[in-house]
Amino acid sequence: ELKVEQNPLFLSMQEGKNYTIYCNYSTTSDRLYWYRQDPGKSLESLFVLLSNGAVKQEGRLMASLDTKARLSTLHITAAVHDLSATYFCAVATKTSYDKVIFGPGTSLSVIP
Amino acid sequence: KAGVTQTPRYLIKTRGQQVTLSCSPISGHRSVSWYQQTPGQGLQFLFEYFSETQRNKGNFPGRFSGRQFSNSRSEMNVSTLELGDSALYLCASSHSGGLSYEQYFGPGTRLTVT
């Protein structure tokens, strides 16, 4: 059964600092998603990573995927308060790409 | 293009009752997935429908069921509600078969069971 872990689960960082959120998953997959959720809101798609070595960047966020290590990272550069949210990684199962399993989420708080 | 819509947005029910939630996907999307989000269990996959057929199912009891209509709209039903069913229910649609399989989420239905 596919399991997805994230660490850290809680992250408090100062504006201007860099940090990385890690996402590990337990079985083979080559489709990984990162989502953002603001309190009381739905999920906003950030990145879709489809192959080993994939790297995508949007603003201060950069995501990468290493399928051999079953690891994805979400790197935050020069954090700003607006990035405060919960970030989820999610992995599609190899047997069915439409069954997506989510990690527990990383609650990020950026302090001015 | 209109996004994913879910109705109702908020619902309060009593234990033992049943409830039906509705999800209208993005036009042209044929896959609809349902998720339950709770503070304790996080985001859990319920089931996924494509062309009126359930293709994938999560580990939920039979009280949770769903269906999809020919226009791709989907409904989710929970019978004999329990307090633990209080959650945010999210549906997501995707153009299954598309290169990215990207899912687009609706605003959710907040269900409270008293």
Side-chain angles (χ1 to χ4, degrees):
Chain A
E1 185 185 329
L2 176 60
K3 288 192 186 333
V4 183
E5 296 178 342
Q6 287 181 238
N7 75 81
L9 298 182
F10 298 94
L11 177 56
S12 180
M13 58 191 295
Q14 285 187 312
E15 278 192 332
K17 299 290 188 185
N18 303 333
Y19 209 82
T20 300
I21 299 170
Y22 297 89
C23 173
N24 292 88
Y25 52 97
S26 60
T27 64
T28 305
S29 176
D30 57 5
R31 291 172 190 269
L32 189 136
Y33 307 86
W34 283 97
Y35 291 92
R36 168 184 171 142
Q37 187 177 38
D38 291 294
K41 304 286 188 183
S42 188
L43 277 77
E44 174 192 351
S45 177
L46 294 174
F47 302 108
V48 181
L49 303 170
L50 299 177
S51 60
N52 186 42
V55 177
K56 289 197 176 180
Q57 182 163 7
E58 180 75 33
R60 301 175 188 275
L61 301 177
M62 183 172 72
S64 66
L65 177 62
D66 180 345
T67 58
K68 292 182 171 52
R70 298 178 189 166
L71 170 70
S72 179
T73 60
L74 180 67
H75 186 73
I76 303 156
T77 302
V80 292
H81 180 66
D82 285 352
L83 289 179
S84 296
T86 298
Y87 293 85
F88 293 93
C89 69
V91 180
T93 63
K94 190 80 168 176
T95 52
S96 175
Y97 289 132
D98 294 291
K99 182 173 181 177
V100 178
I101 306 301
F102 278 77
T106 296
S107 177
L108 171 66
S109 178
V110 181
I111 303 162
Chain B
K1 207 178 212 183
V4 179
T5 59
Q6 291 186 247
T7 57
R9 294 291 311 280
Y10 302 91
L11 205 47
I12 300 175
K13 289 286 190 179
T14 305
R15 267 183 305 177
Q17 288 186 314
Q18 75 161 15
V19 67
T20 299
L21 312 181
S22 180
C23 172
S24 292
I26 290 170
S27 178
H29 286 189
R30 294 166 66 190
S31 171
V32 174
S33 298
W34 288 90
Y35 296 86
Q36 181 197 64
Q37 186 175 29
T38 59
Q41 299 297 319
L43 270 156
Q44 292 185 281
F45 175 83
L46 278 155
F47 28 65
E48 184 254 348
Y49 285 88
F50 179 81
S51 291
E52 302 179 64
T53 300
Q54 186 184 88
R55 289 197 305 188
N56 295 283
K57 192 174 186 311
N59 299 324
F60 277 80
R63 299 186 298 106
F64 292 81
S65 63
R67 59 177 175 168
Q68 186 180 34
F69 301 95
S70 58
N71 61 357
S72 294
R73 188 177 71 85
S74 177
E75 286 183 348
M76 191 193 100
N77 185 274
V78 187
S79 62
T80 320
L81 283 165
E82 299 177 1
L83 294 179
D85 297 334
S86 295
L88 179 66
Y89 290 88
L90 293 163
C91 83
S93 77
S94 70
H95 192 281
S96 186
L99 187 60
S100 70
Y101 285 85
E102 187 164 3
Q103 289 190 321
Y104 298 86
F105 281 81
T109 294
R110 173 78 59 186
L111 171 65
T112 302
V113 182
T114 63

